[in-house]
Amino acid sequence: MSASIIDGKAIAEGLRARLKEDVSAFGANGRAPGLAVVLVGSDPASAVYVRAKARQTAEVGMLSFEHRLPGDVRQDDLIRLVETLNRDPAVDGILVQLPLPAHIDATVILSTVDPAKDVDGFHPVNAGRLATGDTRALSPCTPLGCIHLLKSVRANLAGAHAVVLGRSNIVGKPLAQLLLGENCTVTIAHSRTRDVAGVCRTADIVVAAAGQPEMVRGDWIQRGALVIDVGINRIAREGGYRLVGDAAFDEVRDRAGAITPVPGGVGPMTIAYLLQNTLKAARQRSCDAVT
Ligand code: NAD
């Protein structure tokens, strides 16, 4: 049996089409939601992401504000820009593109963003809200996308044993919280876990977010298990590179019930959920303004 392929590109397109309608309904109140993206320096991969975010923001009918700062910007100047955006009523979401240059403390910058506008979901207030099951939480976009993809093949995840490979603040930890919220039994495996393969063999769901090319092998996967591959790894090949995930796709496909491809799986969902979070932030802010 070969796994069904979870088409993240198509699912993200559907999500954005629905969002466009919701944004238009929100706009009937008099204003469109606005997303500000801050890009520091000239990292080419970050520039590509920021362009894609700006284009998709405009496509769903939201306002896109882009702020580019030189790579040697002073931390205080970046903080001042974030504080200005915090006060700007036209801005509902603020995203500071990571990674930041080494002389800037990302933790300080991310904590400066108003939690009500923290559409990346990285502020400690939002991490706490997610951990305590507070529905006002703005949760990180990639984990939200993973849950959506899982539910596209299994609407009810309750009782499933989910193994998350990776414990980063951006993917692994928030994803584990969201899976708990779906009533899964959750195991987080990481670089110090003994027998990661054995842990995966007990899973109904494996979400691989370790950043290790093709680490998850076919014989790690129970027959019929769902596999979400978050990893994006560049592998050199003649004259360029190709992208691979954290799962050895062909082997895992032979055993899994469903699997996401790389590219075209989790990646497109991340921006779609950034837009979804921006709309959620706009709705929550307009309710707060009324009450
Ligand atoms: P990270 O480097 O911050 O964290 C990696 C985690 O994997 C760590 O917690 C580490 O303990 C764990 N790990 C490393 N080696 C391991 C091993 N051999 N076995 C088990 N666990 C191991 O990375 P991140 O930011 O969480 O990203 C993870 C991957 O997901 C990367 O490939 C990244 O490019 C990708 N990513 C994709 C998207 C997307 O939109 N598709 C978004 C964010 C990250």
Side-chain angles (χ1 to χ4, degrees):
M1 186 194 75
S2 188
S4 59
I5 309 296
I6 305 175
D7 185 347
K9 194 162 172 272
I11 294 170
E13 262 170 34
L15 185 59
R16 289 200 306 275
R18 269 205 309 282
L19 258 169
K20 195 172 176 171
E21 291 172 15
D22 293 345
V23 166
S24 158
F26 179 87
N29 299 329
R31 72 176 189 93
L35 172 63
V37 177
V38 179
L39 176 62
V40 180
S42 54
D43 175 52
S46 294
V48 170
Y49 288 134
V50 166
R51 264 200 305 279
K53 284 168 187 170
R55 180 173 46 78
Q56 294 186 27
T57 303
E59 276 171 10
V60 299
M62 295 187 190
L63 302 176
S64 167
F65 310 104
E66 210 173 297
H67 296 267
R68 289 173 180 259
L69 299 174
D72 60 357
V73 67
R74 290 177 49 230
Q75 177 161 312
D76 283 353
D77 291 335
L78 179 55
I79 289 175
R80 257 193 295 280
L81 171 61
V82 172
E83 287 172 345
T84 304
L85 296 172
N86 283 344
R87 288 190 299 271
D88 186 340
V91 171
D92 296 290
I94 301 169
L95 179 149
V96 181
Q97 182 67 43
L98 301 178
L100 288 168
H103 69 280
I104 290 179
D105 185 339
T107 309
V108 171
I109 301 302
L110 297 178
S111 299
T112 304
V113 175
D114 179 349
K117 298 187 176 188
D118 170 40
V119 285
D120 252 342
F122 295 158
H123 192 288
V125 165
N126 280 312
R129 284 181 174 161
L130 171 60
T132 54
D134 183 331
T135 55
R136 289 172 301 165
L138 291 167
S139 301
C141 304
T142 300
L144 284 170
C146 292
I147 298 291
H148 189 123
L149 294 175
L150 283 169
K151 292 178 91 168
S152 75
V153 284
R154 190 176 301 170
N156 184 1
L157 304 176
H161 179 207
V163 171
V164 179
L165 298 179
R167 57 175 162 180
S168 72
N169 290 337
I170 292 174
V171 187
K173 281 185 207 157
L175 181 57
Q177 296 289 355
L178 289 170
L179 287 162
L180 270 180
E182 296 293 332
N183 299 309
C184 292
T185 302
V186 182
T187 302
I188 303 179
H190 49 79
S191 52
R192 306 286 180 88
T193 298
R194 284 195 302 269
D195 189 17
V196 177
V199 172
C200 286
R201 282 187 199 106
T202 65
D204 305 304
I205 294 168
V206 174
V207 186
Q212 301 293 323
E214 301 184 321
M215 177 182 91
V216 178
R217 311 308 307 192
D219 66 358
W220 293 24
I221 299 299
Q222 274 195 78
R223 286 209 178 278
L226 309 183
V227 178
I228 303 293
D229 193 347
V230 183
I232 303 175
N233 308 288
R234 284 173 182 229
I235 301 286
R237 71 168 173 197
E238 263 174 63
Y241 67 89
R242 72 188 173 99
L243 290 182
V244 299
D246 285 358
F249 186 82
D250 290 335
E251 286 179 22
V252 171
R253 184 176 51 178
D254 283 345
R255 295 180 63 99
I259 182 170
T260 57
V262 176
V266 175
M269 297 300 287
T270 298
I271 301 186
Y273 267 95
L274 174 68
L275 305 176
Q276 179 79 63
N277 270 353
T278 304
L279 178 60
K280 179 175 179 176
R283 283 177 171 152
Q284 292 188 157
R285 291 181 64 247
S286 64
C287 285
D288 287 348
V290 170
T291 52

